[in-house]
Coordinates of all heavy atoms in Angstrom, one line a residue:
L1 N -22.2 -63.2 -17.1 CA -21.8 -62.4 -16.0 C -20.3 -62.3 -15.7 O -19.8 -61.2 -15.4 CB -22.5 -63.0 -14.7 CG -24.0 -62.7 -14.6 CD1 -24.6 -63.6 -13.4 CD2 -24.3 -61.3 -14.4
E2 N -19.6 -63.4 -15.9 CA -18.2 -63.3 -15.7 C -17.5 -62.4 -16.7 O -16.6 -61.6 -16.4 CB -17.6 -64.8 -15.9 CG -18.1 -65.7 -14.7 CD -17.9 -67.1 -15.0 OE1 -17.7 -67.5 -16.2 OE2 -17.9 -67.9 -14.0
I3 N -17.9 -62.5 -18.0 CA -17.4 -61.6 -19.0 C -17.6 -60.1 -18.7 O -16.8 -59.3 -18.8 CB -17.9 -61.9 -20.4 CG1 -17.4 -63.3 -20.8 CG2 -17.6 -60.9 -21.4 CD1 -18.1 -63.9 -22.1
T4 N -18.9 -59.9 -18.3 CA -19.2 -58.5 -17.9 C -18.4 -58.0 -16.8 O -17.9 -56.8 -16.8 CB -20.7 -58.4 -17.5 OG1 -21.5 -58.9 -18.6 CG2 -21.1 -57.0 -17.1
E5 N -18.2 -58.8 -15.7 CA -17.4 -58.3 -14.6 C -15.9 -58.1 -15.0 O -15.3 -57.2 -14.5 CB -17.5 -59.3 -13.4 CG -18.9 -59.3 -12.8 CD -19.3 -57.9 -12.2 OE1 -18.4 -57.1 -11.8 OE2 -20.5 -57.7 -12.1
L6 N -15.4 -59.0 -15.8 CA -14.0 -58.8 -16.2 C -13.9 -57.5 -17.0 O -12.9 -56.7 -16.8 CB -13.5 -60.0 -17.1 CG -13.3 -61.3 -16.4 CD1 -13.1 -62.4 -17.3 CD2 -12.1 -61.2 -15.4
F7 N -14.8 -57.3 -17.9 CA -14.8 -56.0 -18.7 C -14.9 -54.8 -17.8 O -14.2 -53.8 -18.0 CB -15.9 -56.0 -19.7 CG -16.0 -54.7 -20.5 CD1 -15.1 -54.5 -21.5 CD2 -17.0 -53.8 -20.2 CE1 -15.2 -53.3 -22.2 CE2 -17.1 -52.6 -20.9 CZ -16.2 -52.3 -21.9
M8 N -15.8 -54.8 -16.8 CA -16.0 -53.7 -16.0 C -14.8 -53.4 -15.1 O -14.5 -52.3 -14.8 CB -17.3 -53.9 -15.1 CG -18.6 -53.8 -15.9 SD -18.7 -52.4 -17.0 CE -18.7 -51.1 -15.8
E9 N -14.1 -54.5 -14.7 CA -12.9 -54.3 -13.9 C -11.8 -53.6 -14.7 O -11.1 -52.8 -14.2 CB -12.3 -55.6 -13.3 CG -13.2 -56.2 -12.2 CD -13.3 -55.3 -11.0 OE1 -12.4 -54.6 -10.7 OE2 -14.4 -55.4 -10.4
I10 N -11.7 -54.0 -16.0 CA -10.8 -53.3 -16.9 C -11.1 -51.9 -17.0 O -10.3 -51.0 -17.0 CB -10.7 -54.0 -18.3 CG1 -10.1 -55.4 -18.1 CG2 -9.9 -53.2 -19.3 CD1 -10.3 -56.3 -19.3
E11 N -12.4 -51.6 -17.2 CA -12.9 -50.2 -17.4 C -12.6 -49.4 -16.2 O -12.1 -48.2 -16.3 CB -14.4 -50.2 -17.7 CG -14.7 -50.6 -19.1 CD -14.4 -49.7 -20.2 OE1 -14.9 -48.6 -20.2 OE2 -13.5 -50.0 -21.0
R12 N -12.9 -49.9 -15.0 CA -12.7 -49.1 -13.7 C -11.2 -48.8 -13.5 O -10.8 -47.7 -13.1 CB -13.3 -49.9 -12.5 CG -14.7 -49.8 -12.4 CD -15.2 -50.4 -11.1 NE -15.3 -51.8 -11.1 CZ -16.4 -52.5 -11.5 NH1 -17.5 -51.9 -11.9 NH2 -16.4 -53.8 -11.5
N13 N -10.4 -49.8 -13.8 CA -8.9 -49.6 -13.6 C -8.4 -48.7 -14.7 O -7.4 -47.9 -14.4 CB -8.2 -51.0 -13.6 CG -8.3 -51.6 -12.3 OD1 -7.6 -51.2 -11.3 ND2 -9.2 -52.6 -12.2
A14 N -8.9 -48.7 -15.9 CA -8.5 -47.7 -16.9 C -8.8 -46.3 -16.4 O -8.0 -45.4 -16.6 CB -9.2 -48.0 -18.2
I15 N -10.0 -46.1 -15.9 CA -10.3 -44.8 -15.4 C -9.4 -44.4 -14.2 O -8.9 -43.3 -14.1 CB -11.8 -44.7 -14.9 CG1 -12.7 -44.8 -16.2 CG2 -12.1 -43.4 -14.1 CD1 -14.2 -45.1 -15.8
G16 N -9.1 -45.4 -13.3 CA -8.2 -45.1 -12.2 C -6.8 -44.8 -12.7 O -6.1 -43.9 -12.1
L17 N -6.3 -45.4 -13.8 CA -5.0 -45.1 -14.3 C -4.9 -43.7 -14.8 O -4.0 -43.0 -14.6 CB -4.7 -46.1 -15.5 CG -4.1 -47.4 -15.2 CD1 -4.1 -48.3 -16.4 CD2 -2.8 -47.3 -14.6
I18 N -6.0 -43.2 -15.5 CA -6.0 -41.9 -16.0 C -6.0 -40.9 -14.8 O -5.2 -39.9 -14.8 CB -7.3 -41.7 -16.9 CG1 -7.1 -42.5 -18.2 CG2 -7.5 -40.2 -17.2 CD1 -8.4 -42.7 -18.9
L19 N -6.8 -41.2 -13.8 CA -6.8 -40.3 -12.6 C -5.4 -40.3 -11.9 O -4.9 -39.2 -11.6 CB -7.9 -40.8 -11.6 CG -7.9 -40.1 -10.3 CD1 -8.3 -38.7 -10.4 CD2 -8.9 -40.8 -9.3
L20 N -4.8 -41.5 -11.8 CA -3.5 -41.5 -11.1 C -2.4 -40.8 -11.9 O -1.6 -40.2 -11.4 CB -3.1 -43.0 -10.9 CG -3.9 -43.7 -9.7 CD1 -3.7 -45.2 -9.8 CD2 -3.4 -43.1 -8.4
M21 N -2.5 -40.9 -13.2 CA -1.5 -40.3 -14.1 C -1.5 -38.8 -13.8 O -0.5 -38.1 -13.7 CB -1.7 -40.6 -15.6 CG -1.4 -42.0 -15.9 SD -1.9 -42.5 -17.6 CE -1.2 -41.2 -18.6
G22 N -2.7 -38.2 -13.8 CA -2.9 -36.8 -13.5 C -2.4 -36.4 -12.2 O -1.8 -35.4 -12.0
L23 N -2.8 -37.2 -11.2 CA -2.4 -36.9 -9.8 C -0.9 -37.0 -9.5 O -0.3 -36.2 -8.8 CB -3.2 -37.7 -8.8 CG -4.7 -37.5 -8.8 CD1 -5.4 -38.5 -7.9 CD2 -5.1 -36.1 -8.4
I24 N -0.3 -38.0 -10.2 CA 1.1 -38.2 -10.0 C 1.9 -37.0 -10.4 O 2.9 -36.5 -9.8 CB 1.6 -39.5 -10.7 CG1 1.1 -40.7 -10.0 CG2 3.1 -39.5 -10.9 CD1 1.2 -42.0 -10.8
Q25 N 1.5 -36.4 -11.6 CA 2.3 -35.3 -12.1 C 2.1 -34.0 -11.3 O 2.9 -33.1 -11.5 CB 2.0 -35.1 -13.6 CG 0.7 -34.5 -13.9 CD 0.5 -34.5 -15.4 OE1 1.0 -35.3 -16.2 NE2 -0.3 -33.5 -15.9
V26 N 1.1 -33.9 -10.5 CA 0.9 -32.6 -9.7 C 1.2 -32.8 -8.3 O 1.3 -31.8 -7.5 CB -0.6 -32.1 -9.8 CG1 -1.0 -31.9 -11.3 CG2 -1.6 -33.1 -9.2
T27 N 1.6 -34.0 -7.8 CA 1.9 -34.2 -6.4 C 3.3 -33.8 -6.1 O 4.2 -34.3 -6.8 CB 1.6 -35.6 -6.0 OG1 0.2 -35.9 -6.3 CG2 1.9 -35.9 -4.6
K28 N 3.5 -33.0 -5.1 CA 4.9 -32.6 -4.7 C 5.5 -33.5 -3.7 O 6.7 -33.7 -3.7 CB 4.9 -31.2 -4.2 CG 4.2 -30.2 -5.2 CD 5.1 -29.9 -6.4 CE 4.5 -28.9 -7.3 NZ 4.1 -29.3 -8.6
D29 N 4.7 -34.0 -2.7 CA 5.1 -34.8 -1.6 C 5.7 -36.2 -2.2 O 4.9 -36.9 -2.8 CB 4.0 -35.1 -0.7 CG 4.4 -35.9 0.6 OD1 5.1 -36.9 0.5 OD2 3.9 -35.5 1.7
K30 N 7.0 -36.5 -2.0 CA 7.6 -37.7 -2.5 C 6.9 -39.0 -2.0 O 6.7 -39.9 -2.8 CB 9.1 -37.7 -2.2 CG 9.9 -36.6 -2.8 CD 10.6 -37.2 -4.0 CE 11.6 -36.1 -4.5 NZ 11.5 -36.0 -5.9
E31 N 6.6 -39.0 -0.8 CA 5.9 -40.2 -0.2 C 4.6 -40.5 -0.8 O 4.2 -41.6 -1.2 CB 5.8 -40.0 1.3 CG 5.6 -41.3 2.0 CD 5.6 -41.2 3.6 OE1 5.7 -40.1 4.1 OE2 5.6 -42.2 4.2
I32 N 3.8 -39.4 -1.0 CA 2.5 -39.5 -1.6 C 2.7 -39.9 -3.1 O 2.0 -40.8 -3.6 CB 1.6 -38.3 -1.5 CG1 1.3 -38.0 0.0 CG2 0.4 -38.3 -2.3 CD1 0.6 -36.7 0.3

C-alpha cells in the first residue's frame, strides 16, 4: 500500500506539472 501511494503521488504530480507548464505559458497576469 505504501509503495502504491508513493507511486500514485508521483503520477498525480507529473500530470499536474504538465498541466501547469501549459497554463504558465498562456497566462498573461503576472500575479497568476
Side-chain angles (χ1 to χ4, degrees):
L1 285 172
E2 292 164 343
I3 292 169
T4 301
E5 291 299 335
L6 289 169
F7 175 76
M8 292 309 299
E9 288 304 325
I10 292 169
E11 288 288 294
R12 280 188 282 272
N13 279 284
I15 293 167
L17 277 169
I18 294 164
L19 175 65
L20 285 164
M21 287 169 57
L23 295 176
I24 288 166
Q25 74 185 27
V26 299
T27 302
K28 306 290 185 240
D29 184 316
K30 294 260 190 227
E31 197 173 8
I32 294 174

